[in-house]
Amino acid sequence: MGKSKQVTVSFSVVPHIKTDDLYGVVDRAIEVVQKSGVRYEVGAMETTMEGDLDELLEIIKKAQDACIEAGAIDVVTSIKIHYRPSTGVTIDEKIAKYRTQAPQPVR
């Protein structure tokens, strides 16, 4: 079997914690992604990564563990995968056109 094609994976973690530091626990998950070396972008509601699917899923598992290590009782994780075996998928193809536009005001 050949090398797997590049995919994009978006995920969000919702840790159940007993303190008021929800963002601090989520930051631990994002640190796992940052240290992984894969291409990623943090958004307001999720983090998107690109790379090999198996590697990205392992990163998500480690991100969940980081939440637990930071004090979460449990973690609900949502995952979206864009898989195209013919050519692969990149973050740039999805959002490059939006980067050339001026930011829109929040209303």
Side-chain angles (χ1 to χ4, degrees), residues 11-15 22-36 40 42 47 49 59-70 75 77:
F11 79 103
S12 62
V13 292
V14 180
L22 178 65
Y23 291 137
V25 175
V26 172
D27 286 344
R28 307 260 65 100
I30 294 170
E31 286 176 14
V32 170
V33 176
Q34 290 170 328
K35 292 177 181 177
S36 71
Y40 71 95
V42 176
T47 298
M49 304 180 289
I59 292 166
I60 293 169
K61 290 178 193 176
K62 290 176 183 175
Q64 292 179 124
D65 288 340
C67 290
I68 299 297
E69 291 165 9
V75 183
T77 304

Side-chain angles (χ1 to χ4, degrees), residues 59-104:
I59 292 166
I60 293 169
K61 290 178 193 176
K62 290 176 183 175
Q64 292 179 124
D65 288 340
C67 290
I68 299 297
E69 291 165 9
I73 298 164
D74 57 37
V75 183
V76 175
T77 304
S78 298
I79 302 171
K80 294 186 274 187
I81 301 169
H82 186 171
Y83 171 69
R84 184 188 314 127
S86 60
T87 62
V89 185
T90 68
I91 292 172
D92 286 336
E93 78 179 71
K94 293 173 170 291
I95 62 173
K97 69 180 179 182
Y98 300 108
R99 291 197 171 133
T100 60
Q101 299 175 359
Q104 299 299 309

